[in-house]
Amino acid sequence: MPKDSNQPAQKAILYRMVMEDHLCPYGLKSKDLLEREGYTVEDHHLTSREETDAFKQKYSVETTPQIFIGGERIGGYDALREHFGQEVRGDDETSYQPVIAIFSVAFLMALGLSWAFFGSVFTVRAFEWFIAISMCFLAVQKLQDIEGFSTMFLNYDLLAQRWVRYGYVYPFGEAIAGILMVAGALLWVSAPIALVIGTIGAVSVFKAVYIDKQELKCACVGGGSNVPLGFVSLTENLMMIFMGLWMPARALG
């Protein structure tokens, strides 16, 4: 927590790279964090590679920035966060943040569209837009690194394990179905796509997680995902199954 403004500020010494062709972002984050915690910062700029290498050699460190408080070397930005009791997430640590962001923004967009078109957020169309927009966002996550997605997808998808190219087709199918459902157009195209890929996906996930008891990463938000395979991916597939059945049924009255 920031120090009381009536208390004298403690001093921290910060060494960070500030060069013409490189401004260290973690150095800026470290300075900002120290100031928010009530420290005055003695800010030393390392303005060349030679100066940076000399600093690293002097203090036997491999990275910059480096922070010193009370004559003690704290370390870099992550070490500083730990020093102040803040969470530091590991590279392989499970995180639902991408999923929460996708569904939250999709939900708010759906409410916004419903308000703009119907003057109310409590509409059936808002619910449909929420699922369709979520499908589009999830497809974009996969398409950012389709090679990584297809590799992770092969760990559990039953069709992809028999036809490898399906892992490359899947994100495009999800995107096309989502876009058409947002528009409410060509339901004879979007509904079968959503129903087929959703059903195959749901069966694959259920088998891998609940029958085979495998502990795998979910490819639902892309190949770099740290989300465990299970509830999230199953929810994605069940949403597509629902839309594949619901949209034609509603169109038929």
Side-chain angles (χ1 to χ4, degrees), residues 214-233:
Q214 294 180 310
E215 295 184 0
L216 301 170
K217 296 295 185 182
C218 175
C220 56
V221 289
S225 165
N226 282 328
V227 178
L229 182 67
F231 175 75
V232 174
S233 187

Side-chain angles (χ1 to χ4, degrees), residues 66-219:
Q66 291 293 322
I67 300 97
F68 297 79
I69 297 176
E72 177 187 356
R73 185 177 70 84
I74 303 300
Y77 177 64
D78 285 346
L80 184 63
R81 287 178 58 87
E82 289 182 348
H83 177 77
F84 290 131
Q86 297 186 6
E87 179 185 4
V88 178
R89 184 178 293 126
D91 292 339
D92 296 326
E93 187 175 341
T94 296
S95 174
Y96 288 94
Q97 186 172 333
V99 177
I100 294 170
I102 286 170
F103 287 119
S104 297
V105 174
F107 179 70
L108 293 173
M109 286 182 67
L111 296 184
L113 285 169
S114 180
W115 180 266
F117 281 90
F118 304 110
S120 172
V121 297
F122 301 107
T123 64
V124 172
R125 198 72 181 104
F127 179 67
E128 295 171 350
W129 275 325
F130 164 61
I131 297 179
I133 293 170
S134 297
M135 289 167 59
C136 293
F137 283 169
L138 290 166
V140 168
Q141 289 292 106
K142 299 173 178 71
L143 290 169
Q144 288 185 94
D145 180 11
I146 196 167
E147 194 67 41
F149 163 76
S150 63
T151 300
M152 186 179 289
F153 198 52
L154 283 168
N155 287 320
Y156 59 87
D157 189 84
L158 297 175
L159 179 55
Q161 290 173 353
R162 288 161 176 76
W163 179 42
V164 173
R165 299 306 298 174
Y166 177 62
Y168 297 87
V169 172
Y170 180 100
F172 292 97
E174 185 174 28
I176 290 169
I179 291 167
L180 292 176
M181 287 176 175
V182 169
L186 299 179
L187 293 180
W188 58 273
V189 174
S190 62
I193 292 175
L195 189 59
V196 169
I197 66 177
T199 301
I200 295 170
V203 171
S204 299
V205 172
F206 188 85
K207 180 180 182 298
V209 176
Y210 301 105
I211 297 177
D212 298 340
K213 306 296 184 181
Q214 294 180 310
E215 295 184 0
L216 301 170
K217 296 295 185 182
C218 175

